[in-house]
Amino acid sequence: MDNQRNLIIAVLLSLVLLLGFDFAMGRFYPEPANPVTPVADTPVQRAAVEAGMPEPTTGEMRVQDVQTALASANRVRIDAPEVAGSINPVGARIDDIQLKTHRQTVDRDSGPVRLFAPAGTPTQQFAQFGWVGAGVAVPGAETVWQTSGDPLAPGRPVTLTWNNGQGQVFTIRFDIDEFYMLTVRQTVGNAGAGTVALRPYAFINRTSRTASASTWNVHSGPIGLFGGSVDFAWDYDDVDEAGTANPAGATGWIGFTDIYWLSALIPQDGARVTGTYRALGDADYRADLIYDPVTLATGQQASRTTRLFAGAKESEVLDRYEDGGVTNFGLAIDWGWFRWFMKPIFWLLRTLFDATGNFGVAIILLTVIIRGLMFPIAQKGFASMAQMRAVQPKMKALQERYKDDRAQLQQEIGKLYRAEGVNPLAGCLPMFLQIPVFFALYKVLLIAIEMRHKPFVLWIRDLSAPDPATILNGFGLLPFDPPSFLAIGVLAVLLGISMWLQFKLNPAAMDPTQQQIFMIMPWVLMFVMAPFAAGLLIYWITSNILTVAQQRYLYARHPQLKEAMEREREEKARAAEAKKAI
């Protein structure tokens, strides 16, 4: 009776946790309020403020829509294979970038993803390049540059020029490659009468309003390479609290990341540079890159070259830049601690996709390959289970003999296992080996843009998103998205059925309370797994189906195991019935 009461309590507590999680997270961990405005309290920060960089914007200023902001004249077009947009000659800002090959939604008529948008728009994000100088006129946020070249495309650079009228001429040359990298060369020539000292800078400004959520296993927010390692420690709240964040170590690159998108500044190799994050107020932030001063005598000029990545975090593309000298750029994807295992899984999945053209089919084939590799281990596990059943009479004898001495009983059981060559953990090994594979696929579906918006068949149009055909919305016929804990879709139902069949075809000997637990478990997991990515459910369903087929085969190879388990189950049932009759 106590066991049944504990079971009921456990089930009820599980349901409370399941149903109340979303409510509790929304209630006790709401979105952060408007942040703090920073104070310039170091020479680098003061130089940044003096550079003419835009100061905090307010919500009242954020009233201009993107199309209106982009209607200004004389913009320089960007037309590269992966990127479209424009450069604003006012302020030398790259504030218009769309990603040609990535759509906003799965709808066929959905427009491209917009990564950069002008200041003052709801989706504000842009990059600006300039100089800081004392006693010399430098270009600022309102400077109108003269342009040469249009459009910016691979092999077709664009140059912006500004003459301050005091003998100094500033130029910015933009190049773009076939992916998402712009190379920006800032040059200043001094034809004036005296010596001038200048500090080139670059920054990325963005709002956190459009940022993807940062969770315990996927980072979104400030990111950079400092002291030779990628730093995921800072989030927007941390920058708000610090006002200005100064990561420790030399800056290799700095910027902001979402789950799928990245904007980052990469300084010139060998140049002395400082990287910081600033909170500008009203959910606006900046990643600054400020070079050490350069001193120019009359007739001299100096240049600094900064690269700007603004695009999708495609693994092969990031790895290509890393191979080209951008240290650890591939780790801008938050693979986590287990990347040594996840990246091979992702490589195999991508290879199967290249062969089949369908990531859903690739997931199924991946599951078959993994289960095939684990089949010898499963055979040993079933053989071990057969051995365990064979020694059950001896186990019962030991339990009766040493029922009052548990320490001695454990010693005798250990001796029995060694004498009979039984490994009690062998049956659990296949399950434990699947855990890292399951987590790796879960993380890949979560962070790999290669999985984003990839269809399977029929109604599964995005393997990285939950099953849209749920019971409460008429399997996708009604325009209604139920709460995540009630979003029981077709795949979740198939998962519950396949798991129930798996337990049903494995007639383990157990008492009635344990039987009830294992009969409830598939349907509890159906609710738990329903909000997960469709691709993950396809993996688990396929794995369950293969497990059922594997069980039938191995039972055929070990008939004594099934017979012994059935016999013991019947004995348990008779004992339970006899107990009830008393």
Side-chain angles (χ1 to χ4, degrees):
M1 182 64 69
D2 288 341
N3 287 337
Q4 292 182 354
R5 183 185 62 190
N6 292 338
L7 170 65
I8 293 171
I9 292 173
V11 170
L12 289 176
L13 288 176
S14 298
L15 288 175
V16 169
L17 178 63
L18 177 65
L19 299 178
F21 180 78
D22 284 350
F23 171 79
M25 291 300 291
R27 176 69 176 82
F28 297 106
Y29 297 95
E31 290 298 315
N34 288 347
V36 178
T37 300
V39 176
D41 55 4
T42 71
V44 169
Q45 295 159 25
R46 284 195 294 272
V49 173
E50 294 164 0
M53 304 179 186
E55 285 307 297
T57 56
T58 65
E60 289 76 19
M61 293 177 62
R62 205 180 300 274
V63 295
Q64 194 174 34
D65 66 81
V66 174
Q67 295 307 316
T68 301
L70 294 177
S72 59
N74 301 322
R75 281 184 167 269
V76 179
R77 291 181 300 130
I78 301 173
D79 187 12
E82 297 287 339
V83 173
S86 62
I87 300 172
N88 191 348
V90 178
R93 287 180 175 178
I94 302 175
D95 60 359
D96 175 23
I97 286 184
Q98 296 185 84
L99 309 182
K100 292 181 176 180
T101 56
H102 295 281
R103 295 179 300 177
Q104 296 174 20
T105 69
V106 295
D107 296 333
R108 292 186 180 277
D109 59 352
S110 173
V113 167
R114 172 168 293 282
L115 186 62
F116 278 13
T121 62
T123 56
Q124 171 177 311
Q125 185 172 192
F126 60 88
Q128 182 174 313
F129 301 84
W131 288 261
V132 179
V136 58
V138 294
E142 303 301 323
T143 299
V144 179
W145 294 72
Q146 299 298 314
T147 64
S148 174
D150 188 322
L152 174 61
R156 298 184 60 181
V158 166
T159 302
L160 275 59
T161 306
W162 182 71
N163 189 326
N164 68 358
Q166 300 175 0
Q168 289 78 42
V169 178
F170 300 83
T171 61
I172 305 177
R173 173 185 163 124
F174 296 92
D175 288 88
I176 191 169
D177 67 7
E178 68 272 28
F179 297 113
Y180 307 107
M181 189 74 80
L182 290 93
T183 301
V184 184
R185 183 175 177 83
Q186 298 169 248
T187 303
V188 56
N190 181 24
T195 299
V196 295
L198 298 163
R199 303 183 66 183
Y201 74 80
F203 69 72
I204 296 171
N205 178 307
R206 75 158 294 168
T207 176
S208 65
R209 288 181 172 85
T210 55
S212 54
S214 186
T215 63
W216 65 273
N217 60 346
V218 180
H219 175 72
S220 175
I223 190 174
L225 181 80
F226 304 101
S229 61
V230 180
D231 188 348
F232 295 95
W234 294 91
D235 59 26
Y236 292 114
D237 290 339
D238 296 329
V239 180
D240 287 337
E241 185 175 346
T244 298
N246 298 280
T251 303
W253 45 271
I254 186 172
F256 299 103
T257 184
D258 293 289
I259 294 176
Y260 296 126
W261 325 113
L262 173 69
S263 55
L265 295 166
I266 303 139
Q268 178 174 310
D269 290 342
R272 294 177 61 86
V273 65
T274 301
T276 59
Y277 302 110
R278 292 186 68 206
L280 303 178
D282 193 39
D284 288 341
Y285 301 86
R286 213 172 63 203
D288 293 330
L289 202 62
I290 304 180
Y291 290 92
D292 277 6
V294 292
T295 302
L296 301 176
T298 301
Q300 290 185 329
Q301 71 174 27
S303 299
R304 291 291 181 268
T305 300
T306 306
R307 283 180 284 177
L308 168 67
F309 179 93
K313 295 197 295 186
E314 298 166 6
S315 180
E316 286 186 330
V317 173
L318 296 181
D319 288 345
R320 180 176 298 192
Y321 289 129
E322 182 171 329
D323 294 340
V326 186
T327 305
N328 288 343
F329 209 51
L331 299 186
I333 300 175
D334 189 5
W335 297 105
W337 291 346
F338 299 103
R339 66 176 180 270
W340 58 271
F341 183 73
M342 291 173 57
K343 295 196 78 170
I345 292 290
F346 180 53
W347 173 85
L348 178 57
L349 192 61
R350 203 167 53 193
T351 301
L352 294 171
F353 170 73
D354 291 338
T356 63
N358 187 301
F359 261 115
V361 175
I363 290 172
I364 293 173
L365 293 177
L366 173 71
T367 313
V368 172
I369 291 172
I370 291 170
R371 294 309 299 264
L373 293 174
M374 292 184 179
F375 188 73
I377 300 173
Q379 279 186 303
K380 291 182 180 180
F382 266 71
S384 179
M385 290 172 64
Q387 291 175 312
M388 287 286 290
R389 295 299 171 190
V391 301
Q392 282 300 308
K394 296 180 181 180
M395 284 277 291
K396 289 181 179 178
L398 289 175
Q399 289 169 352
E400 287 294 326
R401 184 182 307 172
Y402 299 105
K403 61 183 178 181
D404 297 325
D405 190 347
R406 295 190 64 83
Q408 185 64 32
L409 174 62
Q410 294 301 320
Q411 291 181 8
E412 295 298 327
I413 290 175
K415 292 178 183 178
L416 176 63
Y417 286 162
R418 288 191 292 272
E420 299 290 339
V422 175
N423 182 0
L425 298 179
C428 301
L429 187 58
M431 181 183 300
F432 283 113
L433 289 177
Q434 282 200 80
I435 291 175
V437 177
F438 181 82
F439 179 77
L441 184 59
Y442 160 74
K443 191 73 181 285
V444 164
L445 285 163
L446 196 63
I447 66 174
I449 194 170
E450 290 82 356
M451 304 296 298
R452 180 180 182 264
H453 292 174
K454 291 300 186 294
F456 179 35
V457 294
L458 301 176
W459 73 96
I460 306 298
R461 301 170 62 192
D462 186 356
L463 287 164
S464 67
D467 185 351
T470 65
I471 296 173
L472 291 183
N473 69 4
F475 297 106
L477 297 177
L478 301 176
F480 165 65
D481 292 326
S484 61
F485 58 85
L486 295 177
I488 308 302
V490 175
L491 293 178
V493 173
L494 291 176
L495 175 65
I497 293 172
S498 64
M499 187 162 289
W500 177 80
L501 284 174
Q502 182 180 338
F503 286 146
K504 192 72 173 177
L505 292 178
N506 186 19
M510 57 184 70
D511 60 46
T513 300
Q514 291 173 318
Q515 287 180 349
Q516 291 174 19
I517 293 175
F518 276 88
M519 292 307 290
I520 291 173
M521 187 65 68
W523 314 115
V524 172
L525 286 174
M526 179 182 73
F527 278 91
V528 172
M529 293 300 299
F532 282 69
L536 197 63
L537 270 64
I538 290 171
Y539 166 80
W540 202 339
I541 293 167
T542 305
S543 180
N544 288 345
I545 292 172
L546 293 176
T547 298
V548 169
Q550 181 177 284
Q551 284 176 327
R552 295 181 67 87
Y553 171 78
L554 292 175
Y555 280 142
R557 292 283 306 273
H558 302 279
Q560 75 280 9
L561 173 60
K562 189 169 184 178
E563 292 170 2
M565 294 176 75
E566 291 283 8
R567 185 168 56 251
E568 192 167 346
R569 180 182 180 184
E570 291 173 0
E571 291 174 0
K572 290 275 188 179
R574 285 196 297 268
E577 290 295 329
K579 187 175 181 180
K580 289 180 181 179
I582 297 176

